[in-house]
mmCIF file of all heavy atoms in Angstrom:
data_model
loop_
_atom_site.group_PDB
_atom_site.id
_atom_site.type_symbol
_atom_site.label_atom_id
_atom_site.label_comp_id
_atom_site.label_asym_id
_atom_site.label_seq_id
_atom_site.Cartn_x
_atom_site.Cartn_y
_atom_site.Cartn_z
ATOM 1 N N LEU A 475 66.932 -23.463 5.036
ATOM 2 C CA LEU A 475 66.138 -24.536 4.395
ATOM 3 C C LEU A 475 65.444 -25.377 5.466
ATOM 4 O O LEU A 475 64.272 -25.692 5.336
ATOM 5 C CB LEU A 475 67.088 -25.447 3.571
ATOM 6 C CG LEU A 475 66.367 -26.557 2.778
ATOM 7 C CD1 LEU A 475 65.332 -26.021 1.779
ATOM 8 C CD2 LEU A 475 67.395 -27.461 2.067
ATOM 9 N N THR A 531 14.403 -28.447 14.648
ATOM 10 C CA THR A 531 14.649 -27.671 13.388
ATOM 11 C C THR A 531 16.068 -27.863 12.890
ATOM 12 O O THR A 531 16.363 -27.276 11.819
ATOM 13 C CB THR A 531 14.474 -26.162 13.750
ATOM 14 O OG1 THR A 531 15.300 -25.786 14.851
ATOM 15 C CG2 THR A 531 13.025 -25.899 14.138
ATOM 16 N N LEU A 537 22.414 -36.935 24.676
ATOM 17 C CA LEU A 537 23.104 -37.227 25.921
ATOM 18 C C LEU A 537 22.702 -38.530 26.468
ATOM 19 O O LEU A 537 21.700 -39.142 26.077
ATOM 20 C CB LEU A 537 22.853 -36.052 26.911
ATOM 21 C CG LEU A 537 23.105 -34.635 26.412
ATOM 22 C CD1 LEU A 537 22.573 -33.650 27.421
ATOM 23 C CD2 LEU A 537 24.590 -34.461 26.184
ATOM 24 N N ASN A 548 4.832 -39.554 39.825
ATOM 25 C CA ASN A 548 6.134 -38.966 39.824
ATOM 26 C C ASN A 548 7.246 -40.029 39.914
ATOM 27 O O ASN A 548 8.387 -39.729 40.364
ATOM 28 C CB ASN A 548 6.365 -37.927 40.965
ATOM 29 C CG ASN A 548 7.495 -36.930 40.686
ATOM 30 O OD1 ASN A 548 7.815 -36.688 39.525
ATOM 31 N ND2 ASN A 548 8.042 -36.437 41.760
ATOM 32 N N THR A 576 -2.347 -45.852 32.772
ATOM 33 C CA THR A 576 -3.228 -44.778 32.321
ATOM 34 C C THR A 576 -2.879 -43.506 33.139
ATOM 35 O O THR A 576 -2.296 -43.588 34.170
ATOM 36 C CB THR A 576 -4.750 -45.122 32.589
ATOM 37 O OG1 THR A 576 -4.923 -45.398 33.957
ATOM 38 C CG2 THR A 576 -5.094 -46.333 31.730
ATOM 39 N N THR A 607 -1.203 -35.081 38.230
ATOM 40 C CA THR A 607 0.173 -35.639 38.210
ATOM 41 C C THR A 607 0.972 -34.918 39.260
ATOM 42 O O THR A 607 0.851 -33.741 39.436
ATOM 43 C CB THR A 607 0.830 -35.496 36.815
ATOM 44 O OG1 THR A 607 2.153 -35.917 36.905
ATOM 45 C CG2 THR A 607 0.817 -34.045 36.365
ATOM 46 N N VAL A 611 7.970 -31.109 36.585
ATOM 47 C CA VAL A 611 9.106 -30.781 35.732
ATOM 48 C C VAL A 611 8.817 -29.475 34.952
ATOM 49 O O VAL A 611 7.728 -29.293 34.400
ATOM 50 C CB VAL A 611 9.407 -31.900 34.758
ATOM 51 C CG1 VAL A 611 10.511 -31.528 33.816
ATOM 52 C CG2 VAL A 611 9.729 -33.151 35.464
ATOM 53 N N THR A 765 38.358 -22.371 15.592
ATOM 54 C CA THR A 765 37.937 -23.204 16.730
ATOM 55 C C THR A 765 36.799 -22.578 17.527
ATOM 56 O O THR A 765 36.027 -23.283 18.175
ATOM 57 C CB THR A 765 39.116 -23.527 17.674
ATOM 58 O OG1 THR A 765 39.591 -22.297 18.252
ATOM 59 C CG2 THR A 765 40.240 -24.245 16.918
ATOM 60 N N TRP A 795 43.315 -5.594 17.178
ATOM 61 C CA TRP A 795 43.087 -4.262 17.784
ATOM 62 C C TRP A 795 43.305 -4.362 19.303
ATOM 63 O O TRP A 795 44.151 -3.635 19.820
ATOM 64 C CB TRP A 795 41.669 -3.851 17.431
ATOM 65 C CG TRP A 795 41.368 -2.409 17.883
ATOM 66 C CD1 TRP A 795 42.297 -1.473 18.236
ATOM 67 C CD2 TRP A 795 40.077 -1.854 18.111
ATOM 68 N NE1 TRP A 795 41.627 -0.285 18.582
ATOM 69 C CE2 TRP A 795 40.232 -0.535 18.513
ATOM 70 C CE3 TRP A 795 38.802 -2.343 17.896
ATOM 71 C CZ2 TRP A 795 39.208 0.350 18.789
ATOM 72 C CZ3 TRP A 795 37.734 -1.463 18.183
ATOM 73 C CH2 TRP A 795 37.953 -0.134 18.592
ATOM 74 N N ALA A 815 58.189 7.061 16.825
ATOM 75 C CA ALA A 815 56.891 7.373 16.241
ATOM 76 C C ALA A 815 56.459 6.377 15.159
ATOM 77 O O ALA A 815 55.256 6.120 14.954
ATOM 78 C CB ALA A 815 56.957 8.834 15.686
ATOM 79 N N VAL A 824 47.287 -0.456 11.506
ATOM 80 C CA VAL A 824 46.662 -1.796 11.749
ATOM 81 C C VAL A 824 45.327 -1.605 12.461
ATOM 82 O O VAL A 824 44.357 -2.322 12.152
ATOM 83 C CB VAL A 824 47.641 -2.622 12.563
ATOM 84 C CG1 VAL A 824 46.980 -3.911 12.985
ATOM 85 C CG2 VAL A 824 48.869 -2.969 11.761
ATOM 86 N N PHE A 826 43.226 0.890 12.494
ATOM 87 C CA PHE A 826 42.219 1.417 11.606
ATOM 88 C C PHE A 826 41.649 0.394 10.689
ATOM 89 O O PHE A 826 40.429 0.276 10.471
ATOM 90 C CB PHE A 826 42.800 2.576 10.738
ATOM 91 C CG PHE A 826 41.811 3.238 9.812
ATOM 92 C CD1 PHE A 826 40.907 4.150 10.269
ATOM 93 C CD2 PHE A 826 41.762 2.868 8.465
ATOM 94 C CE1 PHE A 826 39.946 4.746 9.452
ATOM 95 C CE2 PHE A 826 40.831 3.483 7.613
ATOM 96 C CZ PHE A 826 39.966 4.400 8.123
ATOM 97 N N ILE A 979 1.573 -27.846 17.420
ATOM 98 C CA ILE A 979 1.714 -28.364 18.757
ATOM 99 C C ILE A 979 0.921 -27.546 19.747
ATOM 100 O O ILE A 979 1.114 -26.349 19.868
ATOM 101 C CB ILE A 979 3.238 -28.360 19.143
ATOM 102 C CG1 ILE A 979 4.012 -29.180 18.185
ATOM 103 C CG2 ILE A 979 3.409 -28.870 20.577
ATOM 104 C CD1 ILE A 979 5.530 -29.105 18.402
ATOM 105 N N LEU A 1033 -11.896 -20.768 40.736
ATOM 106 C CA LEU A 1033 -11.030 -20.167 39.730
ATOM 107 C C LEU A 1033 -11.852 -19.289 38.783
ATOM 108 O O LEU A 1033 -12.897 -19.702 38.330
ATOM 109 C CB LEU A 1033 -10.257 -21.164 38.942
ATOM 110 C CG LEU A 1033 -9.366 -20.733 37.794
ATOM 111 C CD1 LEU A 1033 -8.195 -19.892 38.314
ATOM 112 C CD2 LEU A 1033 -8.806 -21.926 37.017
#
Side-chain angles (χ1 to χ4, degrees):
L475 182 60
T531 56
L537 306 171
N548 202 26
T576 59
T607 176
V611 177
T765 62
W795 185 20
V824 172
F826 181 79
I979 300 175
L1033 175 65

